[in-house]
């Protein structure tokens, strides 16, 4: 089966610019996650969707970050305006859901590496 | 936020077993222990998970202590391709349970 797709793979922008990342989860996976991974740290969950609804966005900096998952499939994560500290890898993951139970495996995409200058 | 404690790094000789410890003393009864690994420049990859019994799959074995306060991931015959950061995570199975990655253990497999 095809894995989680993300684009672009790399992005360089200047501070105060805006940027958007795209994720296409594995077909049939209802749950989608966006993580931020700063160099040397583990991934930090930014937002979790189930279908097109938000389950958890408690760690999303809502003044500058936004995410949507229209039609419950693809998702976009946007940063506007970007700050230097947003330099990180942005990972998308998806998992299967049966009822309220998430199956154990999260499948991760390759990530988008963002550098803010 | 992370509920687990892991050593920052470990070395292992190629062909030998790699034993990666994890402390999760505050784990609750309905929380599972998951292990993921992240090879350089790739997204994390699922390895194994368990509740209270020991588990084994084609990649690794998971040993959970009887009190469930700690666990060990065992790679029986480490290869150079097992060099990665290994994350131990505890969470419940429901869609409202959060998934916290700590800093993980960097395993260096040496020839």
């Amino acid at each position: 089966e095809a894995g989680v797709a993300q684009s672009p793979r790399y992005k360089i922008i200047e501070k105060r610019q805006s940027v958007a990342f795209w994720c296409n989860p594995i077909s049939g996976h209802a749950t989608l996650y966006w993580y931020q991974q700063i160099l040397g740290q583990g991934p930090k969950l930014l937002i979790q969707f189930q279908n097109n609804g938000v389950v958890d966005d408690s760690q999303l900096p809502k003044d500058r970050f936004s995410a949507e998952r229209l039609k419950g499939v693809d998702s976009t994560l946007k940063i506007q305006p970007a700050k230097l500290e947003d330099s990180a890898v942005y990972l998308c993951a998806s998992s299967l859901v049966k009822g309220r139970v998430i199956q154990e495996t999260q499948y991760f995409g390759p990530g988008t590496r963002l550098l803010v200058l | 936020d992370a509920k687990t404690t892991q050593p920052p790094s470990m070395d292992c000789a190629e062909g030998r077993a790699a034993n990666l410890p994890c402390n999760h003393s505050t784990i609750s009864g309905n929380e599972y222990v998951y292990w993921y690994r992240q090879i350089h420049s790739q997204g994390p990859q699922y390895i194994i998970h368990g509740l209270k019994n020991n588990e084994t799959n084609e990649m690794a074995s998971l040993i959970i202590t009887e009190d469930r306060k700690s666990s060990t991931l065992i790679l029986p015959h480490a290869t150079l391709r097992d060099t990665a950061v290994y994350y131990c995570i505890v969470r419940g199975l429901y869609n409202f349970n959060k998934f916290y990655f700590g800093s993980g253990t960097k395993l260096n497999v040496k020839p």
Side-chain angles (χ1 to χ4, degrees), chain B residues 38-58:
Chain B
Q38 188 172 25
I39 296 170
H40 184 61
S41 296
Q42 297 182 21
Q45 174 192 25
Y46 167 81
I47 302 173
I48 198 168
H49 78 290
L51 183 62
K52 54 183 178 181
N53 297 321
N54 297 337
E55 302 287 345
T56 296
N57 62 21
E58 65 278 4

Side-chain angles (χ1 to χ4, degrees), chain B residues 6-54:
Chain B
Q6 299 177 254
S9 66
M10 293 182 63
D11 291 337
C12 178
E14 189 177 19
R16 304 296 295 268
N19 298 283
L20 292 93
C22 179
N23 180 284
H24 32 79
S25 58
T26 61
I27 192 170
S28 61
N30 63 352
E31 288 184 317
Y32 285 69
V33 180
Y34 294 81
W35 283 84
Y36 279 71
R37 74 178 181 183
Q38 188 172 25
I39 296 170
H40 184 61
S41 296
Q42 297 182 21
Q45 174 192 25
Y46 167 81
I47 302 173
I48 198 168
H49 78 290
L51 183 62
K52 54 183 178 181
N53 297 321
N54 297 337

Side-chain angles (χ1 to χ4, degrees), chain A residues 37 48 50 56 102 106, chain B residues 36 38 93 95-96 98:
Chain A
Q37 186 171 25
Q48 176 183 336
Q50 183 165 343
D56 179 12
I102 293 178
Q106 287 190 29
Chain B
Y36 279 71
Q38 188 172 25
L93 274 183
N95 59 13
F96 53 80
K98 297 185 180 182

